[in-house]
Amino acid sequence: MRRMSKIVAIGAATVILAGCANDGSLMNLRNTESGPDEFAVLPTAPIEVPTDLASLPTPTPGGTNRVDPNPYADAVAALGGNAERGSGAGDFVSYASRFGVSQDIRGVLAAEDQAFRDDNQGRLLERVFGQNVYFRAYRVMSLDQYQELERLRAAGVRTPAAPPREIELGEE
């Protein structure tokens, strides 16, 4: 009986320690599996049959279908814009890069991030046990979303995507 309780205790300790493992997979947003990517499938609109079939354009091989999704136009419409007004994503890119663009920005940011994380590695036991200190290291740079929401509301900025004040404070 005593041997059985030791086996159960060792098994329970193993399960508890296994539950504490953090492999960091929640921070890895890349697909590492060889299977299909479920986010690559775009739903199409239902097929439309025009009232006059003679008005259909001549089919072009490799052309687009009237019900094919258009992610750019959908995103512009979701943000309240008019997709027909702009000529494409190039307008945004040219506006954002009007003061110049660094061609090696990704490498520069990766090096700066690595240097910052090297300076903020965490305490001794966090490093020994491999604890992730990413969010604590960047805490001083994070935005307090509720404080920013109140600042915008006080300035009179409409925040339609934020919950109403009554729900936020728990008043119903």
Side-chain angles (χ1 to χ4, degrees):
M1 186 67 169
R2 186 170 185 179
R3 182 175 177 186
M4 185 59 131
S5 62
K6 284 183 183 180
I7 291 173
V8 170
I10 290 173
T14 303
V15 169
I16 290 172
L17 287 176
C20 295
N22 181 7
D23 61 355
S25 63
L26 290 178
M27 290 184 59
N28 184 7
L29 299 179
R30 295 192 179 144
N31 186 6
T32 57
E33 299 172 2
S34 60
D37 184 9
E38 62 271 12
F39 295 108
V41 178
L42 292 175
T44 59
I47 295 177
E48 300 173 356
V49 179
T51 55
D52 181 20
L53 295 177
S55 68
L56 288 173
T58 306
T60 55
T64 60
N65 189 344
R66 295 187 324 167
V67 295
D68 283 344
N70 185 349
Y72 172 74
D74 294 344
V76 169
L79 294 172
N82 185 353
E84 296 174 4
R85 269 185 49 200
S87 64
D91 295 339
F92 177 74
V93 172
S94 63
Y95 180 77
S97 60
R98 67 192 181 279
F99 298 121
V101 179
S102 174
Q103 296 301 322
D104 61 339
I105 188 66
R106 290 178 188 249
V108 169
L109 288 177
E112 289 175 356
D113 179 56
Q114 187 61 46
F116 181 80
R117 285 188 287 141
D118 287 343
D119 292 343
N120 298 285
Q121 285 185 357
R123 298 180 189 102
L124 177 64
L125 290 178
E126 291 171 337
R127 287 182 296 199
V128 169
F129 291 110
Q131 291 296 311
N132 189 340
V133 295
Y134 182 86
F135 294 108
R136 190 166 47 81
Y138 283 101
R139 185 180 303 143
V140 296
M141 297 180 195
S142 68
L143 178 69
D144 181 4
Q145 58 191 3
Y146 298 109
Q147 182 181 5
E148 183 66 12
L149 177 63
E150 290 305 317
R151 184 187 72 79
L152 290 172
R153 284 181 174 166
V157 177
R158 290 185 57 229
T159 54
R165 182 166 283 151
E166 295 80 31
I167 293 174
E168 208 173 278
L169 299 175
E171 301 169 3
E172 292 187 36

